[in-house]
Amino acid sequence: MPDYKRQRVFSASCLGMLVFGIMMTTLGSILPSMTGKFGLSASDSAGLFLFMTFGMFAGSVLFGPIVDRFGYKLLLILSTGAIAASLAGIAMATGIAMIRASLLLIGFGGGVINGATNAIVSEISEEGKSAGLSLLGVFFGIGAFGVPFALGQLIGKVSYESVIFAIAAIVLIPFFFFIATAFPKPKMSQGFPVREMVTLLKSKSLLLLGFVLFFESGIEIATGGWVSSFFSSEFGIDPGRAVLYMSFYWLGLTAARLALNLLLKRLSPRLLINICFITALAGTIILTVSSSLLPAVLGLMLIGAGFAAVFPVILAHVGELYPEITGTAFGIAMVMALCGGMFIPWLMGFMGELKGLRLSFSIVSISIICQIGIYLFWTRQQKKTITNH
C-alpha cells in the first residue's frame, strides 16, 4: 500500500497546476498596462517573455533528476513560495530590472511545478493517464482564465498592482497545502539518474514527442502573451479591456479539457489529438483573417480548444513509455517544450514589430502543421515497432 493518499496528492497536483496557470498568464495580462507605465517597445516586451521562459527552462532541467532522487514535496513548497514572492515583486516594481528578476524566478518555480505535477499524476494514475492529465490541465485553464478575467473586470476600479498582490496571496494556499501533504517517495533512493538520462536523450520516441511539445509550448505561450496586444492594435480596443478578450482563449482551452476528460475514456487519444490539431489550425486562420471582433473571438476560442489535448496526450505517451523514471523523462520533454516557449514568442514579437501582429500569428499556423507531421510520423513508427515485436 502506498504511504500517501492518492486523492489528496491529486488535489495537491491540481492546486499546483492552478498556480502554473496563474503564472503563465500574468505577464500577458499585465503587459499592455506595463507597456504604458514603463514605455516598453515590442522588442522589450518580447525580452520579458525570454526572462520568464529562461527561468522555466532552468526549472524544467532540474526538476526531473531531483524528484526522482529526493521526491516532490520540498521542491514544490520552495517553488510555490518563490512564485508568491515574485508576484509581489512585480506589483512593487519601480523599474524594468525588478520585473525581469521576478519573472526569472516565477519562470523557474513554474517550470518545476508544471513538470512535477504532471509527473505525479502520471505516476499515481493506474489507468487512463491521458484522462487524468487532461483533468489536471483543467486547473491550468482555471488559473489561466482567472487572471485576465479578473484584470479585465477590475481595470479602472483598482490598479493592476493591487490585483497582482491579491493573486500572490492566493498562491500561498497551495503552499500551505503542500506542507500538509504526503507525496510519493522518490524512485531512486541512491544517486542521480545520470545513465538513464543519457539513454533517454538517445530515444527517438521521446525526442519526437518532445518536438511536438516544442511547438505546442511555443504557440501556447505566444498566443497567451500576444493576443491582448493583438486585439488592442488590430481592433483599437483599450489595452486594459483587451486583457478581457484574452480570457476567451483560456475559456476555450478549459472547456475543451473538461470535455476531454470524458472523451478520453471512450475514444482513442490519438484520434482526439488530431481533431484538436485541426481545430486549432482553423481557429488560427479565422483569427488572422478576421476584420471584425466577433469572428476573431470565435477563432481565439477555437485555438484554445484545439490546444487542449496536446500536453495531456503527449505526456501520457511519455509516462507510458518510461514508467520507471517518469520525472527525468518528463524533464527532458519539458526542456524541449520550453525551448519552443523561449523561441516562438520572441519570434512573434520580432515579426510583430517588423510586419504587425496579424502577420506574425501565421507562425502559429505553421507550427501546428509541423506538429501534425511529427505526430503522424511518431504514430507510424510506433505501429512499426509493435508489428516487429
Side-chain angles (χ1 to χ4, degrees):
M1 292 291 293
D3 55 357
Y4 62 87
K5 295 181 179 179
R6 182 185 177 280
Q7 191 57 50
R8 185 175 179 87
V9 171
F10 184 78
S11 298
S13 300
C14 290
L15 284 173
M17 189 55 70
L18 183 76
V19 171
F20 183 63
I22 290 171
M23 180 222 97
M24 283 295 291
T25 52
T26 295
L27 177 57
S29 298
I30 65 176
L31 189 57
S33 299
M34 285 199 306
T35 297
K37 181 177 179 178
F38 296 104
L40 304 179
S41 67
S43 58
D44 290 332
S45 300
L48 293 180
F49 285 108
L50 283 178
F51 273 90
M52 188 173 74
T53 50
F54 182 77
M56 290 176 65
F57 181 89
S60 298
V61 168
L62 294 175
F63 98 86
I66 291 175
V67 299
D68 280 337
R69 173 64 180 86
F70 296 108
Y72 297 98
K73 183 167 183 169
L74 181 59
L75 203 56
L76 285 172
I77 292 170
L78 293 175
S79 298
T80 311
I83 290 174
S86 298
L87 285 169
I90 289 176
M92 295 186 295
T94 56
I96 196 67
M98 188 171 181
I99 292 174
R100 287 170 176 164
S102 296
L103 287 172
L104 187 68
L105 195 55
I106 285 174
F108 182 85
V112 169
I113 289 173
N114 182 37
T117 53
N118 277 289
I120 290 170
V121 171
S122 177
E123 182 175 336
I124 67 175
S125 297
E126 297 176 355
E127 56 184 28
K129 292 183 186 295
S130 294
L133 289 167
S134 180
L135 183 57
L136 176 69
V138 169
F139 287 85
F140 170 84
I142 293 171
F145 170 77
V147 173
F149 182 79
L151 284 171
Q153 293 294 318
L154 294 173
I155 286 294
K157 301 175 184 176
V158 297
S159 65
Y160 80 85
E161 292 92 344
S162 298
V163 178
I164 298 302
F165 267 124
I167 293 170
I170 291 171
V171 170
L172 291 176
I173 296 172
F175 173 81
F176 290 111
F177 194 84
F178 292 155
I179 292 174
T181 300
F183 288 89
K185 289 183 177 180
K187 292 186 175 182
M188 308 189 77
S189 58
Q190 300 293 328
F192 284 95
V194 177
R195 182 181 299 176
E196 290 82 357
M197 184 180 292
V198 173
T199 302
L200 288 174
L201 288 171
K202 297 177 181 178
S203 170
K204 183 185 292 186
S205 281
L206 183 58
L207 293 177
L208 287 171
L209 294 173
F211 273 116
V212 175
L213 296 184
F214 171 93
F215 288 107
E216 184 62 26
S217 178
I219 57 182
E220 283 192 19
I221 293 173
T223 303
W226 286 111
V227 73
S228 59
S229 298
F230 174 86
F231 274 85
S232 179
S233 62
E234 296 298 324
F235 299 107
I237 298 171
D238 177 79
R241 300 301 299 176
V243 172
L244 184 59
Y245 288 97
M246 189 174 73
S247 64
F248 286 99
Y249 165 62
W250 300 111
L251 181 62
L253 185 146
T254 304
R257 280 193 173 154
L258 279 169
L260 282 170
N261 183 51
L262 299 174
L263 292 172
L264 283 165
K265 296 175 182 179
R266 296 170 172 82
L267 301 176
S268 163
R270 297 182 185 184
L271 172 63
L272 287 172
I273 195 174
N274 283 313
I275 292 172
C276 282
F277 283 143
I278 299 302
T279 301
L281 183 60
T284 306
I285 293 170
I286 292 170
L287 177 68
T288 53
V289 302
S290 294
S291 57
S292 58
L293 193 58
L294 185 59
V297 171
L298 174 62
L300 188 60
M301 292 187 71
L302 288 174
I303 293 172
F307 287 168
V310 181
F311 264 98
V313 171
I314 297 300
L315 290 177
H317 289 325
V318 174
E320 289 161 359
L321 289 170
Y322 312 101
E324 299 303 320
I325 191 166
T326 307
T328 303
F330 271 46
I332 292 171
M334 292 297 183
V335 167
M336 295 183 69
L338 265 297
C339 288
M342 294 173 71
F343 176 68
I344 293 177
W346 172 85
L347 181 62
M348 284 186 66
F350 180 77
M351 182 178 288
E353 192 166 10
L354 292 177
K355 302 292 184 179
L357 285 174
R358 187 178 292 273
L359 182 61
S360 71
F361 263 85
S362 63
I363 294 171
V364 179
S365 300
I366 295 169
S367 297
I368 295 169
I369 292 169
C370 291
Q371 287 180 298
I372 294 170
I374 295 169
Y375 189 72
L376 287 175
F377 179 76
W378 176 81
T379 301
R380 290 172 182 171
Q381 292 294 110
Q382 290 299 108
K383 288 179 179 177
K384 288 180 181 179
T385 302
I386 294 171
T387 302
N388 292 336
H389 284 81

